[in-house]
Amino acid sequence: MDETSRPTIIAGNWKMYKNVGEALTFISEFAPTVFTISSEVYLAVPFTCLQSVAAMCKGTKVTVGAQNMSDSMEGAFTGEIAGTMLKDAGAGFVILGHSERRHYFGETNAFINSKVKRAIADGLQPLLCVGELIEERENGMTEKVLETQLSESLKSITGEEIKKMVIAYEPVWAIGTGVTATPEQAQEMHHFCRRFIAKTWGDAVAESVPLLYGGSVKPDNVKTLMQQADIDGVLVGGASLSSESFSKIANYQSLRV
Ligand code: PGA
């Protein structure tokens, strides 16, 4: 199967930035610039502006999502947010297992796995992140780390369910550092992830799941990353905060670089 059968996804992750007013200003500037592009556009926004951003994005190219959720359906869990609440507020997807959640909040693969299952049960598309630390790369452990993260975070998830997910490879050393993996390094790891998915769930699953690259993606490096065979999209943090730079990234096909 050729890779063009997978959707291309340009995803933004605002992290803990933007209040409601700032978010709506962004959408009013950004949404008109992506009406005609062929890629899908995802935007993971803070919980507090999810509902108003989702309402404003109705009828546009932008699918709005969240950056985290509880692994429980509901209950006495102070401060947590359920997947059904996100869905109700207009979310279509949820980022799970982002390296900032893994490293600052101690999220384990087992915990992420229960969130993935919960998201699927709640009708949200999981966007699962995996990626190695710099020490792991330097010690030649990258493939082992990715294999463990994928197999444990996706434990007991069926091939049919994985087909409906999105997976992002984000080397931790490239996130927010300005250091991007080279297109070749990124392609090598994407290919490894796709092969691992094929070995575990079969070729049809591996060929249909979109794999995004994340880590210091900018207007000046997006195009060469997107030219790699196994890179189906990007997950953008810092450069998704400005409507101008995120619009350039989403319109990467018309960039000169
Ligand atoms: P960055 O973040 O683009 O700022 O490196 C990427 C991410 O955390 O998803």
Side-chain angles (χ1 to χ4, degrees), residues 3-241:
E3 75 264 10
T4 54
S5 59
R6 294 187 289 273
T8 300
I9 301 175
I10 306 298
N13 171 14
W14 281 352
K15 308 191 180 184
M16 202 172 72
Y17 292 100
K18 292 196 194 295
N19 59 31
V20 177
E22 291 163 339
L24 297 183
T25 301
F26 176 105
I27 300 300
S28 67
E29 294 165 356
F30 174 77
T33 71
V34 292
F35 260 120
T36 55
I37 64 171
S38 56
S39 306
E40 295 182 23
V41 181
Y42 283 24
L43 200 53
V45 304
F47 294 138
T48 46
C49 62
L50 183 51
Q51 186 163 20
S52 40
V53 171
M56 193 168 178
C57 287
K58 275 213 182 93
T60 73
K61 265 269 169 189
V62 185
T63 301
V64 180
Q67 303 166 19
N68 182 32
M69 61 176 269
S70 169
D71 66 331
S72 293
M73 191 173 73
E74 61 180 2
F77 301 110
T78 301
E80 288 292 283
I81 308 259
T84 50
M85 296 169 181
L86 299 177
K87 188 127 201 248
D88 179 56
F93 75 98
V94 59
I95 296 178
L96 296 173
H98 189 279
S99 75
E100 286 151 16
R101 304 262 2 137
R102 291 176 186 268
H103 300 293
Y104 301 146
F105 302 100
E107 293 197 6
T108 62
N109 288 316
F111 188 42
I112 294 160
N113 178 239
S114 63
K115 292 189 184 205
V116 171
K117 288 180 184 157
R118 188 75 256 151
I120 293 169
D122 291 342
L124 284 170
Q125 181 181 37
L127 192 169
L128 172 72
C129 301
V130 296
E132 81 288 359
L133 297 164
I134 189 65
E135 308 85 87
E136 292 166 336
R137 173 164 282 263
E138 284 168 357
N139 291 328
M141 287 165 59
T142 303
E143 294 189 351
K144 183 77 206 125
V145 168
L146 295 180
E147 210 171 280
T148 305
Q149 289 179 340
L150 286 171
S151 61
E152 293 182 6
S153 305
L154 294 172
K155 192 165 169 221
S156 313
I157 311 289
T158 67
E160 282 312 304
E161 289 167 335
I162 290 173
K163 276 187 185 172
K164 296 185 200 131
M165 292 181 55
V166 178
I167 297 177
Y169 166 64
E170 299 203 297
V172 180
W173 45 271
I175 297 178
T177 57
V179 181
T180 324
T182 64
E184 295 73 26
Q185 279 172 327
Q187 164 58 23
E188 192 188 350
M189 291 306 117
H190 277 237
H191 187 64
F192 174 80
C193 292
R194 202 177 299 286
R195 273 203 344 260
F196 179 76
I197 294 165
K199 263 194 294 176
T200 318
W201 291 278
D203 286 342
V205 174
E207 290 303 326
S208 49
V209 63
L211 298 183
L212 315 187
Y213 167 79
S216 297
V217 174
K218 304 264 174 332
D220 62 6
N221 58 27
V222 62
K223 200 165 181 177
T224 42
L225 287 161
M226 291 300 292
Q227 282 162 351
Q228 307 304 310
D230 286 292
I231 299 184
D232 307 311
V234 286
L235 178 53
V236 187
S240 73
L241 290 169

